[in-house]
């Protein structure tokens, strides 16, 4: 069993959507029981909150179940999780700062996006609905490739 954590700034837009898409693809690929998933934010802005209504709408429009309560990333998450996926480079830096050391399983989410390797998953918070559809598409591709990677690592 490998434990996967998706991290963004607020833990209401990108990372709960990533967690939901991951769970959805794991189910579709009949890989249930092999991985756990969770999400967290580097900030304390939205602790205890449901995902943003636009993230929920985006998930629902694609038939993806989404449910999460916002929580803040804590350095102990570095010990609990085998893989930590940062949505952007600021999140990546903040995670390292909070952990105080390196983590072998820390990656940028878009390390797994072949066409835009290492790019940020754009923060859709201050934009419109189309920003959330864009994030959904980016996450779907990146997470599909990330699951391929997990299966290669853990056969
Ligand atoms: P997220 O989006 O990091 O994808 O959850 C944001 C949500 C809230 C804020 C910023 C980004 N905020 O500044 O409150």
């Amino acid at each position: 069993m490998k434990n996967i954590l998706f991290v963004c700034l607020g833990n209401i837009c990108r990372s709960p959507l990533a967690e939901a898409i991951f769970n959805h693809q794991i189910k579709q690929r009949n890989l249930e029981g092999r991985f756990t998933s969770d999400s967290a934010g580097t900030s304390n802005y939205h602790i205890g909150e449901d995902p943003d209504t636009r993230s929920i709408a985006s998930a629902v429009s694609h038939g993806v179940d989404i449910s999460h309560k916002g929580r803040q990333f804590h350095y102990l998450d570095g010990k609990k999780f085998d893989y930590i996926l940062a949505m952007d480079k600021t999140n990546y830096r903040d995670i390292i700062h909070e952990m105080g050391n390196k983590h072998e399983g820390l990656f940028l989410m878009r390390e797994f996006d072949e066409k835009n390797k290492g790019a940020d998953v754009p923060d859709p918070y201050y934009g419109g609905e189309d920003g959330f559809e864009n994030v959904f598409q980016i996450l779907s591709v990146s997470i599909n490739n990330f699951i391929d990677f997990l299966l290669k690592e853990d056969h």
Side-chain angles (χ1 to χ4, degrees):
M1 181 80 94
K2 296 287 183 197
N3 305 315
I4 321 296
L5 182 67
F6 298 94
V7 179
C8 62
L9 174 62
N11 193 211
I12 53 170
C13 298
R14 292 166 291 177
S15 61
L17 192 55
E19 179 190 348
I21 292 169
F22 179 81
N23 292 340
H24 184 77
Q25 291 192 7
I26 288 294
K27 233 184 244 173
Q28 280 189 326
R29 293 173 71 159
N30 292 316
L31 296 169
E32 285 157 295
R34 289 187 55 181
F35 306 101
T36 73
S37 69
D38 192 8
S39 64
T42 56
S43 77
N44 61 5
Y45 306 156
H46 298 283
I47 292 172
E49 292 182 23
D50 287 324
D52 188 286
T53 52
R54 296 164 296 175
S55 280
I56 295 173
S58 168
V60 168
S61 77
H62 292 279
V64 170
D65 290 336
I66 182 168
S67 166
H68 182 73
K69 296 290 180 195
R71 73 170 183 91
Q72 189 170 18
F73 181 79
H74 187 275
Y75 74 92
L76 287 175
D77 287 322
K79 306 215 182 302
K80 288 185 204 150
F81 290 91
D82 301 290
Y83 295 97
I84 300 174
L85 283 302
M87 294 298 129
D88 65 35
K89 290 175 201 69
T90 304
N91 308 147
Y92 187 93
R93 274 197 303 271
D94 290 344
I95 290 164
I96 292 173
H97 183 255
E98 171 65 18
M99 288 193 304
N101 53 24
K102 279 216 164 169
H103 186 290
E104 293 224 328
L106 173 63
F107 293 96
L108 273 171
M109 183 77 262
R110 292 183 87 180
E111 273 304 306
F112 300 96
D113 184 349
E114 282 147 6
K115 288 193 188 136
N116 283 284
K117 211 166 156 57
D120 290 344
V121 179
D123 182 349
Y125 186 61
Y126 292 106
E129 301 277 346
D130 54 340
F132 284 77
E133 177 60 23
N134 182 42
V135 165
F136 188 96
Q137 296 304 332
I138 289 168
L139 289 174
S140 295
V141 169
S142 301
I143 288 168
N144 182 61
N145 293 334
F146 174 56
I147 294 171
D148 290 344
F149 162 84
L150 286 175
L151 293 177
K152 269 187 220 138
E153 294 277 293
D154 189 42
H155 48 79

